[in-house]
DNA sequence: CTGAAATTTCAGAATTTCCTGAAATATGTG
DNA sequence: CACATATTTCAGGAAATTCTGAAATTTCAG
């Protein structure tokens, strides 16, 4: 591995972190390297710096492209592919969350819906279904929140995050000012029944 | 594997999902099984239902305990350990997030702080440090938000999530009502300089 | 204290995942 | 089209992880 010490520390760490996230070490390292790099890198650059095989880099880059996590660029008079991460780190986060949702949450929701349609054949199954219903509803709440928040531009998102639970205070104030007894609570529209 | 079909579907799915999360298949299956089970189960119950070895179950349960994801119970006149998940699914989510933060985010923040203390030896390292600073600040924002939100009781948390980005509307309203030109924006206190 | 039941440990087998080098394929230039 | 360069594919070896059975340890009732 042929990197400035400071960069190497970070790259090694993200290689290890990758493992915990079900992403392999090399892919984590490639991404860390691209993230820190000022200039886009071509595959051969990555080979030299990480000291892994050309084919390994090729597979890693393919995986990162499948995740929409890298931009591909070209330099005039050079037909090699150059890779870079988005300049905006928030864009990276958005993509990561989006892709993980697509691969993990969505299929799980599909499965939960299917299983919840079935007729329980025993008390045991009935209880299991109740538990799955709880999980389904929780995921629905979280993905609904996510869909909402995801649409905000970054500036407003940061505002919201900075505020944290202080939002609560604002809501209480609003309630005290505007809610008349017996009125409905405000909130996102309830999801339509299927 | 000896389970009602409905339960088996779910257990198998979470076994696979486990792999994607750096958790091994058996651990995922054990947790799914406990989550759906009305009664706490002992190790032998789990062996019978999942059809894996006793020692594998023992290791899996140990791992789940290390994650604080299972409660251990005893029945009178029976010295075997019985395991269950929390009844409240929100408690499960809170624990999961807390533990992942502890294992993944916290060490990463430590590393970032260390690396950011060092003197860059080149333009390349200087740029790398800037990128690490961006990541550091982003994680700080997210963990700050998380620390805030985590303290809310579940009812208020659900309120907040249900509201989604509509919060934004409330904030705008608040600003229109109360902010006088030149006043500071409200928000969480800025982190102290170290 | 003894012995039976429950649990844990752990070495090595089984499985899965990762990585490489060689070959195949693709791309674009002259 | 031919050639050089770039990239991808893929079989099989390397490495890591998961899982098991046997042995060791712990626990507790009598």
């Amino acid at each position: 591995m042929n990197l400035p010490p400071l960069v190497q520390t970070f790259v090694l760490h993200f290689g290890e972190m990758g493992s915990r996230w079900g992403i392999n070490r090399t892919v984590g390292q490639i991404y860390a390297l691209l993230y820190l790099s000022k200039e886009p890198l071509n595959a051969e650059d990555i080979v030299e710096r990480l000291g892994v095989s050309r084919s390994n880099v090729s597979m890693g880059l393919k995986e990162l492209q499948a995740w929409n996590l890298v931009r591909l660029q070209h330099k005039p008079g050079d037909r090699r592919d150059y890779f870079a991460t988005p300049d905006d780190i928030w864009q990276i986060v958005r993509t990561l969350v989006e892709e993980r949702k697509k691969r993990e949450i969505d299929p799980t929701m599909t499965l939960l819906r299917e299983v919840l349609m079935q007729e329980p054949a025993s008390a045991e199954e009935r209880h299991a279904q109740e538990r799955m219903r709880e999980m389904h509803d929780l995921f629905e709440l979280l993905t609904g929140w996510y869909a909402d928040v995801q649409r905000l531009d970054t500036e407003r998102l940061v505002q919201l995050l900075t505020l944290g639970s202080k939002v609560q205070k604002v809501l209480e104030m609003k309630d005290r000012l505007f809610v008349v007894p017996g009125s409905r609570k405000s909130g996102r529209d309830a999801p339509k029944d299927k």
Side-chain angles (χ1 to χ4, degrees), chain A:
Chain A
M1 195 171 280
N2 184 11
L3 293 168
L6 213 132
V7 173
Q8 175 157 333
T9 306
F10 182 88
V11 165
L12 290 175
H13 180 81
F14 271 80
E16 297 313 316
M17 281 333 243
S19 313
R20 301 212 180 173
W21 271 67
I23 285 165
N24 84 44
R25 202 170 62 249
T26 306
V27 172
Q29 290 182 355
I30 293 174
Y31 204 72
L33 179 62
L34 292 177
Y35 174 73
L36 295 185
S37 177
K38 187 158 194 167
E39 300 297 324
L41 302 178
N42 64 43
E44 202 54 51
D45 292 335
I46 298 172
V47 167
E48 281 164 25
R49 295 182 206 208
L50 297 184
V52 297
S53 73
R54 182 64 183 72
S55 51
N56 198 2
V57 169
S58 176
M59 290 188 298
L61 287 170
K62 217 178 105 191
E63 170 126 13
L64 288 172
Q65 284 177 283
W67 279 79
N68 273 309
L69 281 170
V70 288
R71 287 180 303 117
L72 202 156
Q73 294 190 323
H74 287 99
K75 303 203 173 190
D78 182 343
R79 61 196 178 82
R80 289 172 295 180
D81 294 332
Y82 282 79
F83 297 89
T85 64
D87 288 332
D88 176 12
I89 190 172
W90 283 98
Q91 187 49 54
I92 297 175
V93 173
R94 286 170 191 263
T95 304
L96 259 175
V97 174
E98 186 63 29
E99 292 288 328
R100 279 195 97 88
K101 172 177 178 296
K102 186 159 58 184
R103 286 154 204 250
E104 289 157 23
I105 307 299
D106 293 351
T108 300
M109 284 301 270
T110 301
L111 178 137
L112 286 173
R113 274 190 291 265
E114 277 168 19
V115 173
L116 285 172
M117 297 282 287
Q118 295 177 35
E119 202 53 43
S122 64
E124 192 186 346
E125 290 198 325
R126 197 163 322 114
H127 179 267
Q129 270 190 337
E130 278 169 41
R131 286 296 257 176
M132 292 191 225
R133 166 73 60 191
E134 287 171 32
M135 182 177 288
H136 172 274
D137 291 353
L138 181 135
F139 279 21
E140 198 154 79
L141 183 60
L142 292 176
T143 53
W145 175 82
Y146 162 73
D148 252 26
V149 161
Q150 207 249 38
R151 269 182 246 114
L152 297 176
D153 63 45
T154 298
E155 195 191 349
R156 285 177 184 282
L157 178 53
V158 171
Q159 264 178 35
L160 209 63
L161 292 172
T162 305
L163 213 55
S165 63
K166 289 213 175 61
V167 166
Q168 199 61 36
K169 295 268 167 51
V170 177
L171 292 179
E172 282 161 17
M173 180 181 73
K174 184 204 86 178
D175 283 351
R176 249 180 284 115
L177 287 173
F178 300 115
V179 166
V180 288
S183 76
R184 305 278 308 280
K185 283 203 188 105
S186 67
R188 194 190 308 107
D189 299 333
K192 289 190 280 289
D193 282 341
K194 115 225 89 277

